[in-house]
Amino acid sequence: MSFPKPLFLLLLLLLPVLAWAQQRPAARPGTQPVPQKGQQIELLPGAGQLVGGTFNGVEIRKVLGNVQFRQGTTLLFCDSAYQYTERNSLEAFSNVRIVQNDTITITGDRGTYDGDTRKARMTGNVTMRDPRMTLTTQLLDYDLNNNLAYYSTGGHLQDPENTLDSQFGYYNTQSKVFSFKRNVKLVTKDNTIDTDTLQYNTVSKIAYFFGPTRIKGKQGNLYAENGTYNTVTKISNFARNAKIETPNYLLGGDKLYYDEARQYGVATGRVSMTSKKDNLVIRGDVGRYWRAQGRAKVYGSQPVMRNINAKDTLYLSADTLVSVEGRPPQNKAGVIYAYRKVRIFRSDLQGRCDSLTYDRQDSVIYLSHDPVLWNKGNQLTSDSMEIQQRKGQIDQMRLFGHAFSIGQDTLLNFNQVKGRNMVAYFRDKSIKKIDVLGNAESLYYALEGDTAVSGVNKSLSATMALRFQDGKLNTISFLTNPEAQFIPPNELKPEDAKLKDFRWRAKERPTRRQTLGKHFALPVKPKKKTAPVKTKSATTKKAAPARKKPAVVKPKPTPKPVKK
């Protein structure tokens, strides 16, 4: 029987394909194709003894003494082994060692190896080494196809600079990246790092964190819930609730950069700096910290300082706040500097200025560049000021240069006093006395029963002392070269109602909300108890007799000046 020539040539081309198809087992519908077998594991010559036989119905051969196997570039050594020739796998016993590409070496007491899947399992005193690190564990699975080693019984990693322990771990022998999980502890030369999830690159020496992480070091502690740490350069880039902790301060923010070598850190986003020694907190948008200098700078969106003491809470805001740690023995507490658009708020004191210094050692506040302070109904201005505190309350105010005090009475008249310098003395959060030192002038309204003006007292003196009672002027004492006059209401001219350089600045008085800004919430006021609802009684009660109004005691009129 003869074939046409073209058909004969086509059959010759198809013969190898048909033969390969006959050799492959047909896959059943709905099942995965049967995987191809890997390269056959080869027993190298030199073994002490080779015994063949059947074990549990499986054909094996026992290899004893100086055992060596090879599959491609992978070598396996052991004292004895069972080789399963039909399924291309083996079990190795005693002094087991796997070497891959002359770079990865795994040793252990016992091991199994599947030549088709190229997966090995090593148990008992397992050690895995490459040129960059050594890993020890009790059980290790190694996938040679994917270059991935895995342990779940606890492992210890060591390289020339660091050690690391964890419960679970993956190691990619190609990318040289470890992934660790649960009870992770990384110990470097200068720090100890505790976290729950970590990746570590054995080439770059960079650690990546994916959970709550604490770094404890000689210079302080770091905390974050996401970020990186370079174990060589000692540079941290943290995110999510990041904090730097030193013996004196705690600096935190949404993101944190810290360079241990330079001892310099930057926090951004909801920045908070807390002093551990006292109840002082500074909040802002950006914070910079120089640990060697003991200096921190907070700015952005008008940062706010909050200082809580047993008596009251002081809030201080400005464009920039700088905190300098105390340096014993001169100043153990430190200093706060504020500049540009400074606001002060406390229940008994509000103020503004351009620059401020708060010496926390002796609780003295220095104000400069157009300062103005308010205490209840009194306004104080001068070229510069000094607030002295005692036991958390204002004790004295010292006004230097062009000192001016203004207060409103019940009829909204402006009582005024000015001079070269002033000293205001406080008691129970109110002004009790003012000493005017040099070129003293005063203008005070005399009232009749807080309802009518009886006249105006104007006086000049080198020095003057004013004493207050219940927030109102009680007496004026002229100490040197006094000149005084009393002007009746019908003789009072508009130009006589104000001293030179008079300036009432009530609209500039900062409120609590303006001072706190977005960084602190307003204090929560206690809820008032609702009165029980009275139900109407069926019995009509007699109306109670009307109560008499209490007698009104009119205050005495403002006294005239007393000459000394």
Side-chain angles (χ1 to χ4, degrees):
M1 184 177 180
S2 61
F3 292 96
K5 188 173 182 180
L7 180 60
F8 178 74
L9 293 174
L10 179 61
L11 290 172
L12 289 176
L13 293 173
L14 291 175
L15 279 175
V17 178
L18 294 173
W20 177 80
Q22 288 178 357
Q23 292 174 2
R24 283 189 66 195
R28 296 181 181 179
T31 61
Q32 296 292 331
V34 178
Q36 294 185 10
K37 291 185 177 182
Q39 184 179 353
Q40 190 67 29
I41 299 174
E42 177 185 1
L43 175 63
L44 300 180
Q49 186 177 1
L50 179 63
V51 180
T54 302
F55 181 74
N56 291 334
V58 179
E59 185 177 347
I60 64 171
R61 57 180 177 181
K62 298 179 182 179
V63 187
L64 307 175
N66 193 28
V67 181
Q68 301 180 49
F69 292 97
R70 180 173 62 190
Q71 186 187 46
T73 58
T74 302
L75 297 172
L76 186 146
F77 305 87
C78 60
D79 290 344
S80 63
Y82 291 166
Q83 184 180 16
Y84 302 89
T85 55
E86 292 184 356
R87 62 189 190 197
N88 196 24
S89 63
L90 57 86
E91 290 185 63
F93 309 95
S94 184
N95 297 317
V96 182
R97 178 163 53 98
I98 297 176
V99 181
Q100 184 185 19
N101 297 326
D102 294 328
T103 56
I104 304 295
T105 302
I106 305 174
T107 61
D109 295 338
R110 181 172 178 174
T112 61
Y113 180 68
D114 190 317
D116 291 339
T117 62
R118 287 176 55 79
K119 291 182 179 180
R121 167 169 284 191
M122 197 77 75
T123 58
N125 301 312
V126 181
T127 301
M128 182 178 188
R129 293 184 177 89
D130 72 6
R132 294 178 177 83
M133 66 86 205
T134 300
L135 170 68
T136 56
T137 183
Q138 288 301 310
L139 189 151
L140 182 72
D141 290 299
Y142 185 34
D143 186 339
L144 282 77
N145 284 328
N146 297 313
N147 300 302
L148 185 65
Y150 168 75
Y151 65 85
S152 60
T153 57
H156 176 80
L157 171 71
Q158 185 165 2
D159 64 21
E161 293 86 18
N162 313 297
T163 63
L164 192 148
D165 294 273
S166 70
Q167 183 65 33
F168 300 95
Y170 293 88
Y171 179 49
N172 190 312
T173 60
Q174 189 170 8
S175 65
K176 309 301 180 184
V177 173
F178 261 104
S179 297
F180 302 99
K181 183 73 176 174
R182 193 177 297 174
N183 301 326
V184 184
K185 181 184 288 291
L186 174 61
V187 179
T188 71
K189 181 181 178 181
D190 302 311
N191 299 289
T192 300
I193 303 172
D194 292 284
T195 184
D196 182 69
T197 305
L198 178 146
Q199 280 189 354
Y200 179 64
N201 191 312
T202 59
V203 179
S204 66
K205 311 297 183 185
I206 296 178
Y208 303 82
F209 308 104
F210 304 96
T213 303
R214 291 172 175 84
I215 300 179
K216 297 180 180 179
K218 300 175 182 177
Q219 299 181 4
N221 301 328
L222 295 169
Y223 173 85
E225 295 171 4
N226 186 276
T228 64
Y229 175 69
N230 191 316
T231 62
V232 177
T233 63
K234 307 295 188 297
I235 291 177
S236 306
N237 276 290
F238 282 172
R240 202 181 304 160
N241 197 24
K243 296 180 180 68
I244 300 176
E245 185 179 8
T246 70
N248 296 324
Y249 287 95
L250 181 65
L251 175 65
D254 292 337
K255 293 182 180 180
L256 176 64
Y257 167 90
Y258 188 66
D259 186 337
E260 286 185 34
R262 296 167 54 200
Q263 298 188 40
Y264 169 71
V266 180
T268 57
R270 293 187 293 181
V271 173
S272 177
M273 190 189 76
T274 304
S275 173
K276 294 182 179 181
K277 294 182 178 180
D278 47 32
N279 294 317
L280 188 144
V281 179
I282 297 178
R283 292 182 182 175
D285 285 347
V286 181
R288 299 183 183 274
Y289 179 58
W290 296 266
R291 189 179 187 280
Q293 304 173 19
R295 180 170 172 263
K297 178 181 178 181
V298 183
Y299 56 94
S301 296
Q302 196 176 29
V304 183
M305 181 204 79
R306 182 185 67 187
N307 189 199
I308 302 174
N309 57 50
K311 301 295 182 180
D312 207 342
T313 301
L314 172 67
Y315 294 98
L316 171 66
S317 68
D319 287 348
T320 303
L321 296 175
V322 176
S323 173
V324 179
E325 296 180 17
R327 297 187 179 276
Q330 290 83 3
N331 189 326
K332 296 181 181 180
V335 180
I336 300 292
Y337 299 95
Y339 48 91
R340 305 292 182 273
K341 300 178 182 179
V342 179
R343 289 191 180 102
I344 300 173
F345 186 91
R346 204 164 76 171
S347 63
D348 60 335
L349 179 71
Q350 299 83 45
R352 284 177 179 269
C353 66
D354 190 69
S355 300
L356 179 146
T357 301
Y358 178 21
D359 189 333
R360 293 162 54 206
Q361 176 73 13
D362 49 17
S363 298
V364 176
I365 301 175
Y366 304 91
L367 300 90
S368 61
H369 297 83
D370 193 28
V372 53
L373 291 172
W374 291 269
N375 170 253
K376 297 185 177 180
N378 300 295
Q379 173 185 293
L380 302 169
T381 58
S382 63
D383 293 342
S384 62
M385 296 184 184
E386 178 183 301
I387 303 173
Q388 297 183 4
Q389 301 179 83
R390 185 179 181 184
K391 296 181 180 180
Q393 291 190 352
I394 302 173
D395 183 55
Q396 293 183 24
M397 280 188 193
R398 296 180 176 269
L399 285 65
F400 307 102
H402 300 95
F404 208 126
S405 173
I406 305 173
Q408 277 189 307
D409 60 19
T410 55
L411 297 181
L412 303 183
N413 298 307
F414 294 107
N415 296 318
Q416 306 154 51
V417 60
K418 61 179 293 189
R420 186 185 302 120
N421 301 316
M422 284 186 192
V423 180
Y425 301 89
F426 287 74
R427 186 183 301 165
D428 299 328
K429 300 184 178 182
S430 298
I431 297 176
K432 293 300 178 184
K433 179 185 176 184
I434 293 180
D435 289 339
V436 187
L437 310 174
N439 302 330
E441 297 181 54
S442 67
L443 187 154
Y444 272 83
Y445 286 82
L447 303 181
E448 293 182 357
D450 290 343
T451 59
V453 177
S454 60
V456 174
N457 293 305
K458 292 191 71 173
S459 56
L460 297 172
S461 178
T463 57
M464 190 181 297
L466 300 89
R467 287 176 172 80
F468 297 80
Q469 187 174 357
D470 298 329
K472 299 178 182 179
L473 180 66
N474 189 27
T475 62
I476 302 177
S477 300
F478 306 101
L479 306 179
T480 311
N481 302 324
E483 294 182 13
Q485 61 174 325
F486 181 80
I487 305 174
N490 58 341
E491 298 179 10
L492 186 64
K493 299 176 182 179
E495 58 268 23
D496 295 328
K498 295 178 182 178
L499 297 178
K500 187 182 177 181
D501 300 326
F502 172 90
R503 186 184 174 194
W504 182 244
R505 303 168 63 177
K507 292 183 179 179
E508 300 178 35
R509 191 171 189 168
T511 64
R512 187 192 298 266
R513 179 70 279 170
Q514 289 173 340
T515 309
L516 268 60
K518 69 175 185 178
H519 302 294
F520 286 98
L522 288 172
V524 179
K525 295 182 179 179
K527 294 182 179 180
K528 294 182 180 180
K529 295 182 179 180
T530 56
V533 180
K534 295 181 179 180
T535 56
K536 293 183 179 180
S537 175
T539 307
T540 304
K541 295 183 180 179
K542 293 182 180 180
R547 295 182 179 179
K548 294 182 180 181
K549 294 182 178 179
V552 177
V553 180
K554 295 183 179 180
K556 297 179 181 180
T558 305
K560 295 182 180 180
V562 178
K563 295 183 180 180
K564 286 190 177 181

